Amino acid sequence: MAAPTNNLAELPDILIKHILDLLPAHRDLSAMCLVNRRMNKLADPLLHKTLKFNQPKHHFSFSESLATRPRRGSLIQTVHVEYPSHELDEFLELANSPIFSNRVDPFSHTISTMSNLENLVISVPESLCHGIGTLFNGPFDLACLKSCSLFYQREDDGYWDLQDNIHIFSHPTLESLTIRRAKLDAKGFDSLEKPAQTVLEALHLLECDINDDALADLLLIPENLKEVIITQLETPDPPLEESAEDMEDYIFALSSAQHSLETISIDFASLNGSSALRMREFEALKSLELRDYQLFGQSSPRLHSVGLPPNLEILKFLNNVGEDEEIEELLCYMIENKSIMARSLKEMVVVEGDNGVNPKVLEACEKAEDLNLDIW
């Protein structure tokens, strides 16, 4: 029987790769690349599997390395490109240097070399918006992309124009898309050639100013969209120009994906509720988050009762429920008649508030069968 060895070099490649993959610090992998040629060959792909460029110089250093090792781009699966607007001058200086004089857009060119990229996080100055947007215009760049987050910083802290990156919605392999502080007018996907249905499953619109008609058009593209999350500040800054003012308009927009949506979360306090929502056609919906006045409406008298999704299991209210007496009465009535109005409802989540949970709502939930009340 061979004596055990303490020499890492005597281990097979597959075992060394597993050990390297467990190293906690990025600098440890970098150090292993310098040990010898064999270790460099094994550690280098892992070192570049995930990259974070938090300064323009990091991005351009990697761009330079592609000149001698062009296949390095194909090793990357996850990349975070995040640097603030105040470093834009440094970026422009580097971009205009002789190193990149023959390239129109060195920034997007570098990303395009990452042929196996699966996860992309962008948080950079708005000046780079158009160049990055060109990466999404054709089927050949970023052909393996599964997750993408887009945020372009404006000097005035305003909303960037999503139109420059609109083709991200037609990306054939993208499964999850997060867009932060973007605006989109009624033109939406303004193209003569409409994209084929995509595999997008999750869409998160964070603090955006999106026209509801444009949103409805965009939601026709995914074949099986499962999750939509929309958030906005309690007092939007700057003020919204394109967004609808009523929750009903957003629900109508989401009806483009009513056949597949399983989760809807709309944390948008300034949206009014002119009338009770009618969502019986959302047959796949399991979880719904919003405010009570947006669900039951604010008009009086109400011409119709709320129509909850038939298979809804979780209903979460983002405000202190029942502060309006009429809404309190309607909510209690819905809970008492759960077997008719919400027969699949298993859990209701409410905010405790300064004075606790509304006692009538609490009593109705305690009496209801198969309904768990979660207070947060």
Side-chain angles (χ1 to χ4, degrees), residues 151-178:
F151 170 51
Y152 298 98
Q153 309 149 18
R154 288 173 53 105
E155 292 184 3
D156 61 358
D157 292 327
Y159 305 105
W160 58 274
D161 193 352
L162 182 54
Q163 197 64 241
D164 286 331
N165 282 213
I166 197 69
H167 286 276
I168 188 63
F169 284 92
S170 62
H171 197 286
T173 64
L174 191 67
E175 297 175 0
S176 176
L177 175 61
T178 298

mmCIF file of all heavy atoms in Angstrom, residues 151-178:
data_model
loop_
_atom_site.group_PDB
_atom_site.id
_atom_site.type_symbol
_atom_site.label_atom_id
_atom_site.label_comp_id
_atom_site.label_asym_id
_atom_site.label_seq_id
_atom_site.Cartn_x
_atom_site.Cartn_y
_atom_site.Cartn_z
ATOM 1 N N PHE A 151 -28.492 48.959 -14.672
ATOM 2 C CA PHE A 151 -28.679 50.259 -14.041
ATOM 3 C C PHE A 151 -27.616 51.202 -14.571
ATOM 4 O O PHE A 151 -26.421 50.919 -14.495
ATOM 5 C CB PHE A 151 -28.581 50.158 -12.521
ATOM 6 C CG PHE A 151 -28.537 51.493 -11.821
ATOM 7 C CD1 PHE A 151 -29.479 52.474 -12.099
ATOM 8 C CD2 PHE A 151 -27.556 51.772 -10.880
ATOM 9 C CE1 PHE A 151 -29.444 53.700 -11.455
ATOM 10 C CE2 PHE A 151 -27.503 52.996 -10.230
ATOM 11 C CZ PHE A 151 -28.450 53.961 -10.527
ATOM 12 N N TYR A 152 -28.055 52.318 -15.153
ATOM 13 C CA TYR A 152 -27.129 53.324 -15.672
ATOM 14 C C TYR A 152 -27.322 54.610 -14.875
ATOM 15 O O TYR A 152 -28.435 55.144 -14.788
ATOM 16 C CB TYR A 152 -27.388 53.573 -17.163
ATOM 17 C CG TYR A 152 -27.163 52.341 -18.011
ATOM 18 C CD1 TYR A 152 -28.237 51.545 -18.408
ATOM 19 C CD2 TYR A 152 -25.878 51.958 -18.390
ATOM 20 C CE1 TYR A 152 -28.034 50.413 -19.169
ATOM 21 C CE2 TYR A 152 -25.667 50.822 -19.150
ATOM 22 C CZ TYR A 152 -26.751 50.051 -19.536
ATOM 23 O OH TYR A 152 -26.549 48.921 -20.289
ATOM 24 N N GLN A 153 -26.236 55.091 -14.306
ATOM 25 C CA GLN A 153 -26.286 56.241 -13.402
ATOM 26 C C GLN A 153 -26.301 57.555 -14.185
ATOM 27 O O GLN A 153 -25.428 57.782 -15.019
ATOM 28 C CB GLN A 153 -25.078 56.216 -12.472
ATOM 29 C CG GLN A 153 -24.866 54.885 -11.756
ATOM 30 C CD GLN A 153 -23.408 54.617 -11.483
ATOM 31 O OE1 GLN A 153 -22.576 55.520 -11.519
ATOM 32 N NE2 GLN A 153 -23.071 53.365 -11.219
ATOM 33 N N ARG A 154 -27.278 58.378 -13.899
ATOM 34 C CA ARG A 154 -27.340 59.720 -14.480
ATOM 35 C C ARG A 154 -26.788 60.741 -13.499
ATOM 36 O O ARG A 154 -26.956 60.592 -12.282
ATOM 37 C CB ARG A 154 -28.784 60.077 -14.843
ATOM 38 C CG ARG A 154 -29.333 59.328 -16.045
ATOM 39 C CD ARG A 154 -30.811 59.635 -16.201
ATOM 40 N NE ARG A 154 -31.066 61.069 -16.242
ATOM 41 C CZ ARG A 154 -31.361 61.755 -17.355
ATOM 42 N NH1 ARG A 154 -31.404 61.117 -18.516
ATOM 43 N NH2 ARG A 154 -31.602 63.040 -17.304
ATOM 44 N N GLU A 155 -26.169 61.771 -14.018
ATOM 45 C CA GLU A 155 -25.595 62.794 -13.158
ATOM 46 C C GLU A 155 -26.669 63.533 -12.357
ATOM 47 O O GLU A 155 -26.414 64.013 -11.256
ATOM 48 C CB GLU A 155 -24.782 63.781 -13.992
ATOM 49 C CG GLU A 155 -23.513 63.167 -14.595
ATOM 50 C CD GLU A 155 -22.671 64.190 -15.326
ATOM 51 O OE1 GLU A 155 -23.044 65.386 -15.317
ATOM 52 O OE2 GLU A 155 -21.636 63.804 -15.907
ATOM 53 N N ASP A 156 -27.896 63.608 -12.916
ATOM 54 C CA ASP A 156 -28.979 64.299 -12.215
ATOM 55 C C ASP A 156 -29.850 63.331 -11.411
ATOM 56 O O ASP A 156 -30.910 63.712 -10.912
ATOM 57 C CB ASP A 156 -29.849 65.076 -13.206
ATOM 58 C CG ASP A 156 -30.507 64.165 -14.246
ATOM 59 O OD1 ASP A 156 -30.253 62.937 -14.220
ATOM 60 O OD2 ASP A 156 -31.273 64.682 -15.082
ATOM 61 N N ASP A 157 -29.400 62.069 -11.285
ATOM 62 C CA ASP A 157 -30.137 61.036 -10.547
ATOM 63 C C ASP A 157 -31.506 60.744 -11.152
ATOM 64 O O ASP A 157 -32.408 60.245 -10.469
ATOM 65 C CB ASP A 157 -30.300 61.414 -9.063
ATOM 66 C CG ASP A 157 -28.966 61.400 -8.327
ATOM 67 O OD1 ASP A 157 -28.111 60.570 -8.676
ATOM 68 O OD2 ASP A 157 -28.790 62.225 -7.413
ATOM 69 N N GLY A 158 -31.684 61.041 -12.441
ATOM 70 C CA GLY A 158 -32.951 60.773 -13.106
ATOM 71 C C GLY A 158 -33.025 59.353 -13.634
ATOM 72 O O GLY A 158 -32.187 58.491 -13.326
ATOM 73 N N TYR A 159 -34.041 59.105 -14.451
ATOM 74 C CA TYR A 159 -34.255 57.776 -15.026
ATOM 75 C C TYR A 159 -33.554 57.677 -16.375
ATOM 76 O O TYR A 159 -33.644 58.579 -17.206
ATOM 77 C CB TYR A 159 -35.750 57.512 -15.210
ATOM 78 C CG TYR A 159 -36.563 57.679 -13.945
ATOM 79 C CD1 TYR A 159 -37.371 58.810 -13.745
ATOM 80 C CD2 TYR A 159 -36.521 56.722 -12.942
ATOM 81 C CE1 TYR A 159 -38.109 58.964 -12.584
ATOM 82 C CE2 TYR A 159 -37.260 56.871 -11.770
ATOM 83 C CZ TYR A 159 -38.047 57.995 -11.607
ATOM 84 O OH TYR A 159 -38.773 58.144 -10.453
ATOM 85 N N TRP A 160 -32.856 56.564 -16.603
ATOM 86 C CA TRP A 160 -32.208 56.348 -17.897
ATOM 87 C C TRP A 160 -33.208 55.752 -18.878
ATOM 88 O O TRP A 160 -34.200 55.130 -18.490
ATOM 89 C CB TRP A 160 -30.971 55.465 -17.758
ATOM 90 C CG TRP A 160 -31.205 54.109 -17.162
ATOM 91 C CD1 TRP A 160 -31.241 53.768 -15.839
ATOM 92 C CD2 TRP A 160 -31.428 52.884 -17.884
ATOM 93 N NE1 TRP A 160 -31.467 52.428 -15.677
ATOM 94 C CE2 TRP A 160 -31.588 51.848 -16.919
ATOM 95 C CE3 TRP A 160 -31.489 52.548 -19.227
ATOM 96 C CZ2 TRP A 160 -31.820 50.520 -17.274
ATOM 97 C CZ3 TRP A 160 -31.721 51.230 -19.586
ATOM 98 C CH2 TRP A 160 -31.884 50.234 -18.622
ATOM 99 N N ASP A 161 -32.944 55.937 -20.165
ATOM 100 C CA ASP A 161 -33.893 55.541 -21.204
ATOM 101 C C ASP A 161 -33.727 54.065 -21.561
ATOM 102 O O ASP A 161 -32.719 53.656 -22.126
ATOM 103 C CB ASP A 161 -33.701 56.412 -22.447
ATOM 104 C CG ASP A 161 -34.850 56.267 -23.438
ATOM 105 O OD1 ASP A 161 -35.705 55.380 -23.238
ATOM 106 O OD2 ASP A 161 -34.895 57.055 -24.397
ATOM 107 N N LEU A 162 -34.724 53.271 -21.230
ATOM 108 C CA LEU A 162 -34.677 51.833 -21.490
ATOM 109 C C LEU A 162 -34.679 51.521 -22.980
ATOM 110 O O LEU A 162 -34.272 50.432 -23.392
ATOM 111 C CB LEU A 162 -35.868 51.155 -20.811
ATOM 112 C CG LEU A 162 -35.998 49.638 -20.913
ATOM 113 C CD1 LEU A 162 -34.732 48.930 -20.452
ATOM 114 C CD2 LEU A 162 -37.206 49.159 -20.119
ATOM 115 N N GLN A 163 -35.097 52.471 -23.793
ATOM 116 C CA GLN A 163 -35.149 52.236 -25.237
ATOM 117 C C GLN A 163 -33.794 51.838 -25.808
ATOM 118 O O GLN A 163 -33.705 51.050 -26.746
ATOM 119 C CB GLN A 163 -35.657 53.502 -25.944
ATOM 120 C CG GLN A 163 -36.150 53.286 -27.356
ATOM 121 C CD GLN A 163 -37.361 52.394 -27.446
ATOM 122 O OE1 GLN A 163 -37.306 51.338 -28.070
ATOM 123 N NE2 GLN A 163 -38.457 52.804 -26.809
ATOM 124 N N ASP A 164 -32.700 52.350 -25.202
ATOM 125 C CA ASP A 164 -31.354 52.021 -25.682
ATOM 126 C C ASP A 164 -30.975 50.566 -25.402
ATOM 127 O O ASP A 164 -30.041 50.048 -26.010
ATOM 128 C CB ASP A 164 -30.317 52.941 -25.023
ATOM 129 C CG ASP A 164 -30.365 54.351 -25.589
ATOM 130 O OD1 ASP A 164 -30.744 54.496 -26.760
ATOM 131 O OD2 ASP A 164 -30.044 55.298 -24.851
ATOM 132 N N ASN A 165 -31.654 49.931 -24.459
ATOM 133 C CA ASN A 165 -31.375 48.530 -24.126
ATOM 134 C C ASN A 165 -32.604 47.643 -24.321
ATOM 135 O O ASN A 165 -32.673 46.544 -23.783
ATOM 136 C CB ASN A 165 -30.907 48.407 -22.672
ATOM 137 C CG ASN A 165 -29.458 48.793 -22.456
ATOM 138 O OD1 ASN A 165 -28.767 48.244 -21.600
ATOM 139 N ND2 ASN A 165 -28.981 49.758 -23.210
ATOM 140 N N ILE A 166 -33.560 48.102 -25.112
ATOM 141 C CA ILE A 166 -34.855 47.435 -25.216
ATOM 142 C C ILE A 166 -34.743 46.007 -25.752
ATOM 143 O O ILE A 166 -35.569 45.136 -25.421
ATOM 144 C CB ILE A 166 -35.811 48.268 -26.105
ATOM 145 C CG1 ILE A 166 -37.269 47.838 -25.889
ATOM 146 C CG2 ILE A 166 -35.419 48.182 -27.563
ATOM 147 C CD1 ILE A 166 -37.819 48.180 -24.554
ATOM 148 N N HIS A 167 -33.710 45.733 -26.534
ATOM 149 C CA HIS A 167 -33.579 44.402 -27.138
ATOM 150 C C HIS A 167 -33.184 43.332 -26.122
ATOM 151 O O HIS A 167 -33.181 42.140 -26.474
ATOM 152 C CB HIS A 167 -32.586 44.438 -28.302
ATOM 153 C CG HIS A 167 -33.133 45.114 -29.522
ATOM 154 N ND1 HIS A 167 -33.918 44.459 -30.445
ATOM 155 C CD2 HIS A 167 -33.031 46.393 -29.943
ATOM 156 C CE1 HIS A 167 -34.269 45.297 -31.402
ATOM 157 N NE2 HIS A 167 -33.743 46.479 -31.124
ATOM 158 N N ILE A 168 -32.892 43.734 -24.888
ATOM 159 C CA ILE A 168 -32.639 42.728 -23.857
ATOM 160 C C ILE A 168 -33.880 41.854 -23.658
ATOM 161 O O ILE A 168 -33.789 40.681 -23.290
ATOM 162 C CB ILE A 168 -32.233 43.403 -22.521
ATOM 163 C CG1 ILE A 168 -31.780 42.370 -21.494
ATOM 164 C CG2 ILE A 168 -33.363 44.253 -21.973
ATOM 165 C CD1 ILE A 168 -30.556 41.593 -21.854
ATOM 166 N N PHE A 169 -35.062 42.410 -23.944
ATOM 167 C CA PHE A 169 -36.296 41.649 -23.785
ATOM 168 C C PHE A 169 -36.453 40.560 -24.844
ATOM 169 O O PHE A 169 -37.278 39.657 -24.680
ATOM 170 C CB PHE A 169 -37.508 42.581 -23.828
ATOM 171 C CG PHE A 169 -37.705 43.362 -22.558
ATOM 172 C CD1 PHE A 169 -37.149 44.620 -22.407
ATOM 173 C CD2 PHE A 169 -38.437 42.828 -21.505
ATOM 174 C CE1 PHE A 169 -37.322 45.333 -21.232
ATOM 175 C CE2 PHE A 169 -38.615 43.535 -20.328
ATOM 176 C CZ PHE A 169 -38.055 44.791 -20.193
ATOM 177 N N SER A 170 -35.693 40.643 -25.910
ATOM 178 C CA SER A 170 -35.789 39.631 -26.956
ATOM 179 C C SER A 170 -34.648 38.616 -26.885
ATOM 180 O O SER A 170 -34.516 37.778 -27.777
ATOM 181 C CB SER A 170 -35.777 40.300 -28.341
ATOM 182 O OG SER A 170 -34.550 40.994 -28.563
ATOM 183 N N HIS A 171 -33.829 38.691 -25.823
ATOM 184 C CA HIS A 171 -32.704 37.772 -25.707
ATOM 185 C C HIS A 171 -33.222 36.338 -25.560
ATOM 186 O O HIS A 171 -34.048 36.056 -24.692
ATOM 187 C CB HIS A 171 -31.828 38.139 -24.513
ATOM 188 C CG HIS A 171 -30.469 37.524 -24.563
ATOM 189 N ND1 HIS A 171 -30.262 36.194 -24.309
ATOM 190 C CD2 HIS A 171 -29.261 38.049 -24.874
ATOM 191 C CE1 HIS A 171 -28.978 35.921 -24.443
ATOM 192 N NE2 HIS A 171 -28.347 37.043 -24.781
ATOM 193 N N PRO A 172 -32.748 35.425 -26.387
ATOM 194 C CA PRO A 172 -33.359 34.083 -26.447
ATOM 195 C C PRO A 172 -33.091 33.178 -25.257
ATOM 196 O O PRO A 172 -33.843 32.234 -25.033
ATOM 197 C CB PRO A 172 -32.754 33.485 -27.731
ATOM 198 C CG PRO A 172 -31.462 34.220 -27.920
ATOM 199 C CD PRO A 172 -31.713 35.599 -27.428
ATOM 200 N N THR A 173 -32.017 33.431 -24.472
ATOM 201 C CA THR A 173 -31.689 32.526 -23.367
ATOM 202 C C THR A 173 -31.896 33.151 -21.992
ATOM 203 O O THR A 173 -31.774 32.460 -20.981
ATOM 204 C CB THR A 173 -30.219 32.054 -23.465
ATOM 205 O OG1 THR A 173 -29.347 33.189 -23.322
ATOM 206 C CG2 THR A 173 -29.951 31.375 -24.802
ATOM 207 N N LEU A 174 -32.230 34.427 -21.932
ATOM 208 C CA LEU A 174 -32.332 35.141 -20.653
ATOM 209 C C LEU A 174 -33.524 34.641 -19.839
ATOM 210 O O LEU A 174 -34.650 34.575 -20.341
ATOM 211 C CB LEU A 174 -32.469 36.643 -20.903
ATOM 212 C CG LEU A 174 -32.321 37.536 -19.669
ATOM 213 C CD1 LEU A 174 -30.896 37.478 -19.145
ATOM 214 C CD2 LEU A 174 -32.710 38.973 -19.996
ATOM 215 N N GLU A 175 -33.272 34.327 -18.551
ATOM 216 C CA GLU A 175 -34.316 33.810 -17.672
ATOM 217 C C GLU A 175 -34.735 34.811 -16.605
ATOM 218 O O GLU A 175 -35.872 34.784 -16.140
ATOM 219 C CB GLU A 175 -33.836 32.516 -16.998
ATOM 220 C CG GLU A 175 -33.548 31.390 -17.993
ATOM 221 C CD GLU A 175 -32.957 30.160 -17.322
ATOM 222 O OE1 GLU A 175 -32.776 30.192 -16.082
ATOM 223 O OE2 GLU A 175 -32.670 29.183 -18.021
ATOM 224 N N SER A 176 -33.810 35.682 -16.185
ATOM 225 C CA SER A 176 -34.109 36.638 -15.123
ATOM 226 C C SER A 176 -33.562 38.017 -15.505
ATOM 227 O O SER A 176 -32.392 38.132 -15.874
ATOM 228 C CB SER A 176 -33.487 36.172 -13.800
ATOM 229 O OG SER A 176 -33.697 37.121 -12.779
ATOM 230 N N LEU A 177 -34.409 39.049 -15.391
ATOM 231 C CA LEU A 177 -34.015 40.401 -15.781
ATOM 232 C C LEU A 177 -34.426 41.386 -14.696
ATOM 233 O O LEU A 177 -35.589 41.427 -14.286
ATOM 234 C CB LEU A 177 -34.676 40.786 -17.110
ATOM 235 C CG LEU A 177 -34.466 42.224 -17.599
ATOM 236 C CD1 LEU A 177 -32.981 42.516 -17.818
ATOM 237 C CD2 LEU A 177 -35.255 42.473 -18.884
ATOM 238 N N THR A 178 -33.450 42.178 -14.221
ATOM 239 C CA THR A 178 -33.698 43.234 -13.244
ATOM 240 C C THR A 178 -33.316 44.570 -13.864
ATOM 241 O O THR A 178 -32.199 44.729 -14.367
ATOM 242 C CB THR A 178 -32.881 43.005 -11.960
ATOM 243 O OG1 THR A 178 -33.277 41.776 -11.354
ATOM 244 C CG2 THR A 178 -33.112 44.141 -10.970
#
